[in-house]
Short mmCIF file of all heavy atoms in Angstrom, two decimals:
data_model
loop_
_atom_site.label_atom_id
_atom_site.label_comp_id
_atom_site.label_asym_id
_atom_site.label_seq_id
_atom_site.Cartn_x
_atom_site.Cartn_y
_atom_site.Cartn_z
N THR A 582 -21.89 -21.74 25.56
CA THR A 582 -22.18 -21.67 26.96
C THR A 582 -22.33 -23.09 27.53
O THR A 582 -21.90 -23.35 28.72
CB THR A 582 -23.43 -20.97 27.31
OG1 THR A 582 -23.36 -19.58 26.66
CG2 THR A 582 -23.64 -20.75 28.71
N ALA A 583 -22.81 -24.05 26.84
CA ALA A 583 -23.00 -25.40 27.28
C ALA A 583 -21.65 -26.01 27.74
O ALA A 583 -21.58 -26.78 28.73
CB ALA A 583 -23.56 -26.30 26.16
N GLN A 584 -20.52 -25.59 27.09
CA GLN A 584 -19.19 -26.17 27.53
C GLN A 584 -18.88 -25.80 28.90
O GLN A 584 -18.25 -26.63 29.61
CB GLN A 584 -18.15 -25.59 26.52
CG GLN A 584 -16.74 -26.08 26.94
CD GLN A 584 -15.68 -25.58 25.89
OE1 GLN A 584 -15.99 -25.25 24.75
NE2 GLN A 584 -14.43 -25.57 26.36
N ALA A 585 -19.34 -24.63 29.38
CA ALA A 585 -18.99 -24.25 30.70
C ALA A 585 -19.60 -25.10 31.81
O ALA A 585 -19.27 -24.96 32.97
CB ALA A 585 -19.48 -22.74 30.91
N PHE A 586 -20.53 -25.96 31.46
CA PHE A 586 -21.08 -26.92 32.49
C PHE A 586 -20.24 -28.17 32.64
O PHE A 586 -20.46 -28.86 33.61
CB PHE A 586 -22.49 -27.24 32.11
CG PHE A 586 -23.53 -26.06 32.09
CD1 PHE A 586 -23.76 -25.29 31.04
CD2 PHE A 586 -24.20 -25.82 33.27
CE1 PHE A 586 -24.61 -24.28 31.12
CE2 PHE A 586 -25.16 -24.79 33.45
CZ PHE A 586 -25.37 -23.95 32.32
N PHE A 587 -19.45 -28.37 31.63
CA PHE A 587 -18.69 -29.58 31.64
C PHE A 587 -17.20 -29.43 31.78
O PHE A 587 -16.42 -30.40 32.24
CB PHE A 587 -18.89 -30.38 30.25
CG PHE A 587 -20.34 -30.73 30.07
CD1 PHE A 587 -21.15 -29.91 29.37
CD2 PHE A 587 -20.84 -32.03 30.35
CE1 PHE A 587 -22.57 -30.30 29.16
CE2 PHE A 587 -22.15 -32.42 30.21
CZ PHE A 587 -23.05 -31.47 29.61
N ASP A 588 -16.65 -28.33 31.37
CA ASP A 588 -15.12 -28.13 31.26
C ASP A 588 -14.61 -27.61 32.64
O ASP A 588 -14.80 -26.50 33.04
CB ASP A 588 -14.90 -27.06 30.22
CG ASP A 588 -13.40 -27.11 29.72
OD1 ASP A 588 -12.55 -27.42 30.62
OD2 ASP A 588 -13.13 -26.67 28.61
N ARG A 589 -13.91 -28.63 33.29
CA ARG A 589 -13.47 -28.30 34.63
C ARG A 589 -12.21 -27.54 34.57
O ARG A 589 -11.66 -27.19 35.77
CB ARG A 589 -13.27 -29.70 35.37
CG ARG A 589 -14.55 -30.54 35.48
CD ARG A 589 -14.43 -31.62 36.48
NE ARG A 589 -14.28 -31.17 37.87
CZ ARG A 589 -15.29 -30.68 38.62
NH1 ARG A 589 -16.53 -30.66 38.11
NH2 ARG A 589 -15.00 -30.29 39.82
N ARG A 590 -11.60 -27.15 33.43
CA ARG A 590 -10.49 -26.29 33.42
C ARG A 590 -10.91 -24.89 33.67
O ARG A 590 -9.90 -24.04 33.98
CB ARG A 590 -9.83 -26.45 32.11
CG ARG A 590 -9.20 -27.82 31.73
CD ARG A 590 -8.80 -27.83 30.29
NE ARG A 590 -9.82 -27.62 29.42
CZ ARG A 590 -9.77 -27.44 28.07
NH1 ARG A 590 -8.55 -27.43 27.47
NH2 ARG A 590 -10.81 -27.34 27.33
N LEU A 591 -12.07 -24.48 33.39
CA LEU A 591 -12.49 -23.06 33.59
C LEU A 591 -12.45 -22.51 34.95
O LEU A 591 -12.73 -23.25 35.94
CB LEU A 591 -13.93 -22.99 33.09
CG LEU A 591 -14.29 -23.29 31.55
CD1 LEU A 591 -15.73 -23.34 31.31
CD2 LEU A 591 -13.47 -22.31 30.68
N LEU A 592 -12.07 -21.32 35.09
CA LEU A 592 -11.93 -20.65 36.37
C LEU A 592 -13.43 -20.53 36.99
O LEU A 592 -13.62 -20.67 38.19
CB LEU A 592 -11.36 -19.29 36.26
CG LEU A 592 -9.89 -19.35 35.83
CD1 LEU A 592 -9.37 -17.78 35.67
CD2 LEU A 592 -9.02 -19.99 36.89
N ARG A 593 -14.41 -20.23 36.13
CA ARG A 593 -15.74 -20.16 36.57
C ARG A 593 -16.63 -21.04 35.72
O ARG A 593 -16.92 -20.83 34.62
CB ARG A 593 -16.30 -18.72 36.32
CG ARG A 593 -17.78 -18.56 36.94
CD ARG A 593 -18.37 -17.31 36.32
NE ARG A 593 -19.79 -17.16 36.84
CZ ARG A 593 -20.82 -17.69 36.37
NH1 ARG A 593 -20.79 -18.53 35.32
NH2 ARG A 593 -21.98 -17.44 36.85
N MET A 594 -16.95 -22.27 36.37
CA MET A 594 -17.85 -23.12 35.67
C MET A 594 -19.28 -22.64 35.89
O MET A 594 -19.65 -21.96 36.81
CB MET A 594 -17.70 -24.53 36.27
CG MET A 594 -16.33 -25.19 35.90
SD MET A 594 -16.33 -27.00 36.50
CE MET A 594 -17.59 -27.64 35.38
N ALA A 595 -20.15 -23.00 34.92
CA ALA A 595 -21.57 -22.61 34.92
C ALA A 595 -22.24 -23.46 36.01
O ALA A 595 -21.94 -24.59 36.29
CB ALA A 595 -22.21 -22.86 33.59
N ASP A 596 -23.35 -22.88 36.62
CA ASP A 596 -24.12 -23.59 37.63
C ASP A 596 -25.61 -23.54 37.25
O ASP A 596 -25.96 -23.14 36.14
CB ASP A 596 -23.82 -22.92 38.92
CG ASP A 596 -24.12 -21.42 38.96
OD1 ASP A 596 -24.93 -20.95 38.09
OD2 ASP A 596 -23.56 -20.67 39.81
N GLU A 597 -26.32 -23.89 38.24
CA GLU A 597 -27.87 -23.97 37.99
C GLU A 597 -28.54 -22.75 37.65
O GLU A 597 -29.41 -22.60 36.81
CB GLU A 597 -28.55 -24.71 39.16
CG GLU A 597 -28.18 -26.10 39.34
CD GLU A 597 -29.08 -26.92 40.25
OE1 GLU A 597 -30.26 -26.33 40.46
OE2 GLU A 597 -28.81 -28.07 40.62
N SER A 598 -28.02 -21.60 38.21
CA SER A 598 -28.54 -20.36 37.92
C SER A 598 -28.25 -19.95 36.41
O SER A 598 -29.06 -19.34 35.70
CB SER A 598 -28.02 -19.25 38.87
OG SER A 598 -26.63 -19.06 38.64
#
Side-chain angles (χ1 to χ4, degrees):
T582 306
Q584 179 177 340
F586 293 90
F587 297 90
D588 196 333
R589 301 194 66 80
R590 297 172 297 171
L591 295 172
L592 295 175
R593 182 195 182 280
M594 292 188 67
D596 55 25
E597 293 200 9
S598 65

